[in-house]
């Protein structure tokens, strides 16, 4: 079994967007939620407005997550169902 990663215990504001592997998306009455997989295989939920080291989660929709970084630059992480 994998050893716990330093990332699994970190709060989101200590995770970098490059640490994120988008593993799934769910929709509820409250909107979209993304599920990210950390290097140790642990799944964690990701929601809009969560802060990361290099920005914050702006939006989550049926195709992925948009992160807004320093200076307003946006980065899109797409969900790949074939992964």
């Amino acid at each position: 079994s994998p050893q716990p990663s330093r990332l699994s215990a970190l709060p989101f504001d200590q995770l970098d967007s490059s640490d994120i592997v988008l593993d799934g998306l769910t929709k509820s009455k409250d909107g979209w939620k993304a599920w990210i997989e950390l290097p140790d295989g642990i799944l964690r939920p990701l929601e809009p407005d969560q802060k990361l080291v290099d920005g914050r989660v702006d939006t989550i929709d049926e195709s992925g997550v948009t992160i807004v970084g320093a200076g307003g630059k946006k980065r899109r992480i797409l969900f790949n169902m074939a992964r």
Side-chain angles (χ1 to χ4, degrees), residues 22-75:
L22 188 54
D23 205 48
L25 298 163
T26 57
K27 185 176 182 182
S28 71
K29 62 181 175 71
D30 298 322
W32 288 93
K33 183 182 292 188
W35 293 89
I36 62 171
E37 182 178 347
L38 300 177
D40 58 4
I42 292 176
L43 288 177
R44 291 183 68 184
L46 187 68
E47 297 178 359
D49 295 322
Q50 283 184 311
K51 292 183 182 185
L52 305 169
V53 168
D54 58 345
R56 70 170 178 78
V57 177
D58 183 41
T59 59
I60 300 173
D61 61 29
E62 67 277 357
S63 62
V65 175
T66 301
I67 295 171
V68 176
K73 184 175 180 180
K74 292 186 178 186
R75 176 174 177 242

